Amino acid sequence: MSEGTKIGQFVGVDFKNSTDADQNSEELKGTKIGEISDFEKSLPAKETNKEESTSSTTGDNEDPESTPESQEEDISTEALFQSELEKTIKDYEVGDIVKGIVRRIEKMGVLVDIQYKSDGLIPSSEFNTDTGLTPQDLEEGDAIESMIVKIETKEGYTELSRKRAEYEISWNDVSSASKLKTLIDVKVISSVEGGLVVHFKGLKGFIPASHCIRSGDEKLEDFVGQTLSVAVLQVDRKRRKIIFSNKIARSKPSQIDVKKALEEIEIGDVKEGKVTSIKEFGAFVDIGGVEGLVHISEMSWSRINHPSDIIAIGDQIKVFVLGVDKDNSRISLGIKQLQPDPWVKVSENYHLGQIVDGVITRIVTFGAFIEIEKDLEGLIHISELSESHVKSVEDVLTLGEKIKAKIIKLLPDEQRIGLSFRGMEENPIETSVAQPEEVPQEDTPQEEVPQEDT
C-alpha cells in the first residue's frame, strides 16, 4: 500500500523516460474552443448531429430574424408590399363610373370587386329591371359597370348603382352617335299625335311623324313594339330631349355596308362617283355608298383658286383612289392622276434660256403665273418683270395677256419653272413702263398734232 502525498509535497515524474507518462500526456491535451473533442468524436453520429443541431439553435449563433440586417430586410419587404398594395387600390369619388368583377350574388344585392379598400355593393333596388341587367343575369366573375353613390357605408361597403350608371352611359352613347353621325336602334313604346315615343337604353326619345317612313296605309300605331334604326337629330340633356329620325337612317348606308364597301376599295382603283359637296379645301365624292375627299391640290396639275373652278355639285366624275383608311373610314381621291402628267417631258421639251409663249392665268402680290401649255405653268417673280423697280404686278400685266418670257429656272421634280423678262432683246415690260413718260412729250405742243396727222 503506497503512501499518500502530503499537503504541500510535490512528487516529480520523469515524463521523458516513462511510457505511462507519454500516454498521460496525450490524454491531458486540452480541446480548443470550436474544436470537437476526442470524446465527442467517439459518440454515435446521431447523437453528435443532434448536439450540433442543438448547439446551432441554442448556442452562440443568434436568431437571424433578430439581426439588424434581417430587420432592415423585413422593413424593406413590408414597405414594398405596402406600395404594391396601394397601387392596386384606386382613388374614387362619388359619381365615378367604375368597372368591377362580380364576387358574390346575394338577396340584398351584388358584391363587386372594384379594386378598392372595400368591396362595392349594388343593392337589388339599384338595378333597372325594365331595360337593363338584373342580378339574375349575372354570374360570379362577370364584369359590370356601376356608379359610386357612397364611398363607405356603416356596413363597410362602397355603395354602387347600376341604374345610374346605365343612365349616364346611355346619354354618352346618344351624344356620341349625334357627333359621329352613326345609327342606333330604338324600340317604339307608344304613338302620340305627331310622332312616336321610343326607348334607347332607358332614355325616352321622340320620332316626329315627318321622320317616320310609312308605306301605303301604314299608321303610326302600327310601329308600336317595333325596333327601328334611327339617326340622332337633336340632343338636349338639360331638357332631357332627344329627337330621332328614321327617314335619315334609311337614306344612309348602314355601318356594315360602309365597312364592306371599304374592303372592296384598293389604292390605285379608278372609280366613278357623284360630287356631293364642295369646300374651299376640296370636294367630297360619293363612290358607291362611301364618300371620299378630293383635295384641291389633287384636282389639276395646274393651280386653281377654288374647286368650283373645275367641278360642280352633282357632277358625275371619275376619280383615282390615292389612299384608304379603313379604321377611320376615310378615302383620299384624285382627279389629276387620270390626266397625263405634263411635268414628265418638261426636261425634253424645255431648257434654260429658252423663250416661250404664254398666257397670264393668275396674278399674285409676288408675281404672275403663266400657262405655257395645258396644265403647265411657270412663274415670273415681280423682281424679274423689269430692270427697274416695279411696285405692283397689276401695273404692268393683266389677266389673259399673251406674252413672251425666258426660262431662268427649270425644276421638273419640284414642278417649278421660273421665267423672266430681264435680259431679253425686246422687253415688253420696259416698253409699257416707259410709255407714261413719252405721252406728255407728244401732247405738249398743240400745233404739232395736225402735222403728225398729215
Side-chain angles (χ1 to χ4, degrees):
M1 184 175 181
S2 61
E3 294 181 1
T5 303
K6 296 180 179 179
I7 296 173
Q9 185 180 3
F10 175 76
V11 179
V13 180
D14 186 3
F15 290 100
K16 294 180 180 181
N17 299 323
S18 174
T19 304
D20 294 337
D22 292 339
Q23 294 177 354
N24 291 337
S25 65
E26 292 291 335
E27 294 176 359
L28 291 175
K29 287 182 178 178
T31 303
K32 296 181 180 179
I33 297 174
E35 292 183 353
I36 301 175
S37 64
D38 294 337
F39 175 73
E40 289 176 325
K41 291 179 181 179
S42 64
L43 294 175
K46 290 184 178 180
E47 293 185 8
T48 305
N49 292 339
K50 184 177 180 181
E51 291 180 2
E52 288 178 359
S53 61
T54 305
S55 63
S56 63
T57 55
T58 60
D60 295 334
N61 295 332
E62 297 181 355
D63 188 351
E65 295 182 358
S66 63
T67 62
E69 291 80 2
S70 61
Q71 291 177 358
E72 289 179 2
E73 290 179 1
D74 291 342
I75 294 173
S76 61
T77 303
E78 184 179 354
L80 180 62
F81 174 77
Q82 185 66 24
S83 64
E84 292 297 325
L85 184 63
E86 291 175 356
K87 287 181 182 179
T88 60
I89 298 177
K90 298 182 179 180
D91 188 15
Y92 294 125
E93 294 181 358
V94 173
D96 288 347
I97 295 178
V98 297
K99 190 172 185 178
I101 304 298
V102 176
R103 290 190 58 186
R104 194 163 65 253
I105 301 172
E106 300 180 354
K107 290 184 179 180
M108 63 175 181
V110 179
L111 286 173
V112 182
D113 179 7
I114 57 173
Q115 293 186 350
Y116 195 55
K117 59 184 178 181
S118 59
D119 285 339
L121 173 65
I122 308 176
S124 300
S125 60
E126 287 300 323
F127 281 88
N128 194 339
T129 55
D130 295 332
T131 59
L133 285 173
T134 64
Q136 291 74 26
D137 299 325
L138 298 172
E139 295 181 358
E140 293 183 7
D142 287 349
I144 186 172
E145 288 182 305
S146 55
M147 178 181 286
I148 295 179
V149 178
K150 188 179 293 185
I151 294 296
E152 189 172 355
T153 63
K154 294 180 181 179
E155 292 79 13
Y157 294 113
T158 299
E159 186 177 342
L160 306 173
S161 172
R162 173 63 185 174
K163 188 186 298 182
R164 299 188 193 183
E166 286 181 340
Y167 183 78
E168 191 70 25
I169 293 170
S170 298
W171 275 109
N172 292 338
D173 290 346
V174 170
S175 299
S176 178
S178 176
K179 293 177 181 178
L180 300 177
K181 308 298 181 184
T182 55
L183 306 182
I184 58 177
D185 293 333
V186 297
K187 186 174 183 179
V188 181
I189 57 174
S190 65
S191 63
V192 295
E193 185 178 355
L196 301 172
V197 178
V198 296
H199 254 174
F200 173 73
K201 296 182 178 181
L203 302 179
K204 280 187 178 182
F206 184 69
I207 303 177
S210 59
H211 283 271
C212 297
I213 297 179
R214 288 178 283 180
S215 58
D217 298 332
E218 195 173 18
K219 299 178 181 180
L220 289 176
E221 50 263 31
D222 296 335
F223 288 94
V224 177
Q226 294 185 22
T227 299
L228 302 177
S229 180
V230 296
V232 182
L233 288 180
Q234 183 181 353
V235 178
D236 189 344
R237 183 165 181 175
K238 290 183 179 179
R239 298 170 59 187
R240 297 184 180 181
K241 180 180 178 182
I242 311 174
I243 306 298
F244 299 106
S245 172
N246 178 235
K247 183 179 291 185
I248 294 177
R250 284 284 188 92
S251 63
K252 292 181 65 175
S254 66
Q255 295 299 312
I256 297 176
D257 294 338
V258 171
K259 290 182 179 179
K260 184 179 179 181
L262 286 171
E263 292 294 334
E264 297 175 353
I265 297 174
E266 298 292 339
I267 296 174
D269 289 349
V270 177
K271 299 287 184 179
E272 188 170 346
K274 182 180 180 180
V275 179
T276 56
S277 64
I278 294 178
K279 309 293 181 182
E280 290 185 0
F281 54 84
F284 289 94
V285 181
D286 186 344
I287 53 173
V290 291
E291 285 188 341
L293 171 65
V294 183
H295 194 268
I296 188 172
S297 62
E298 302 297 339
M299 290 186 172
S300 174
W301 291 109
S302 60
R303 294 175 178 83
I304 58 175
N305 294 321
H306 196 273
S308 58
D309 293 342
I310 58 174
I311 57 174
I313 294 176
D315 286 352
Q316 293 287 339
I317 61 173
K318 287 186 177 181
V319 291
F320 183 87
V321 179
L322 296 173
V324 181
D325 185 352
K326 296 179 181 179
D327 294 333
N328 297 309
S329 301
R330 293 177 181 176
I331 305 173
S332 299
L333 305 173
I335 298 175
K336 70 180 185 181
Q337 287 75 15
L338 300 178
Q339 303 297 328
D341 185 354
W343 294 95
V344 173
K345 295 186 178 181
V346 165
S347 298
E348 299 177 10
N349 300 334
Y350 301 96
H351 59 269
L352 293 175
Q354 181 178 349
I355 306 299
V356 294
D357 295 322
V359 178
I360 298 174
T361 55
R362 283 191 301 149
I363 294 178
V364 291
T365 56
F366 54 84
F369 288 94
I370 300 173
E371 186 180 52
I372 301 172
E373 61 178 71
K374 185 180 179 182
D375 295 334
L376 186 65
E377 287 183 335
L379 171 67
I380 298 182
H381 193 268
I382 190 171
S383 62
E384 296 294 334
L385 291 177
S386 173
E387 297 289 349
S388 59
H389 178 67
V390 177
K391 291 183 178 180
S392 176
V393 179
E394 288 86 348
D395 292 342
V396 293
L397 292 176
T398 57
L399 285 175
E401 183 180 356
K402 295 181 179 180
I403 62 170
K404 291 181 180 291
K406 182 173 66 175
I407 298 177
I408 61 171
K409 187 181 295 183
L410 195 62
L411 302 172
D413 293 339
E414 300 178 18
Q415 298 186 358
R416 292 171 58 188
I417 297 178
L419 303 173
S420 175
F421 288 149
R422 300 171 62 179
M424 294 178 60
E425 294 180 0
E426 183 181 352
N427 192 336
I429 303 304
E430 293 288 348
T431 305
S432 62
V433 172
Q435 284 177 357
E437 298 177 359
E438 296 175 0
V439 172
Q441 294 177 3
E442 295 177 358
D443 295 340
T444 46
Q446 296 291 334
E447 63 277 11
E448 291 182 3
V449 175
Q451 295 176 3
E452 292 179 0
D453 292 339
T454 57

